[in-house]
Amino acid sequence: MHNSWLLCLFCCVQLASVSVCQVIESGEKEEECKGSVTLYEGSEETVVTEDENVTVAVDRVKVEGCGCFTLHSKKEGRGNSYFLGRRGEFSAEDIGWSKV
């Protein structure tokens, strides 16, 4: 009985230490990543596609295309920041402030 318990413990330790991993190289990306952020202030829209200083009191934000963007509450990337890491819409409440 004691030997069975030791054998079981040994097998569990061996199985716990084995892991399988596979890395697949995806190759070079041939398409250029193009994305945009649309800032909505009432009925006004401001579309941003690259680093740019804009002053808008946003009601909502919409991310389209690919890429990741951050919003900052002050110029030159300072102040509070909010990471827009996926496509979709974000409200001023999601972001935590309205002045971008």
Side-chain angles (χ1 to χ4, degrees):
M1 177 76 175
H2 183 68
N3 288 339
S4 297
W5 185 82
L6 287 176
L7 180 61
C8 182
L9 179 62
F10 176 76
C11 289
C12 289
V13 169
Q14 290 299 319
L15 289 174
S17 65
V18 174
S19 63
V20 176
C21 179
Q22 181 178 12
V23 177
I24 299 172
E25 184 177 341
S26 64
E28 291 187 33
K29 189 174 182 180
E30 295 183 20
E31 293 182 25
E32 183 179 343
C33 179
K34 293 184 180 180
S36 66
V37 175
T38 305
L39 308 169
Y40 295 93
E41 181 179 14
S43 62
E44 297 292 317
E45 296 180 13
T46 303
V47 178
V48 180
T49 58
E50 57 187 43
D51 287 347
E52 187 176 336
N53 284 323
V54 294
T55 303
V56 178
V58 297
D59 299 320
R60 63 188 174 101
V61 175
K62 184 176 182 181
V63 178
E64 297 177 298
C66 66
C68 297
F69 300 89
T70 55
L71 299 177
H72 298 270
S73 61
K74 294 186 180 182
K75 291 181 181 179
E76 305 298 329
R78 293 178 295 180
N80 294 325
S81 65
Y82 186 81
F83 179 67
L84 302 168
R86 62 173 173 80
R87 283 184 240 161
E89 292 195 14
F90 302 85
S91 68
E93 290 79 28
D94 292 335
I95 298 165
W97 72 89
S98 62
K99 186 178 179 185
V100 175

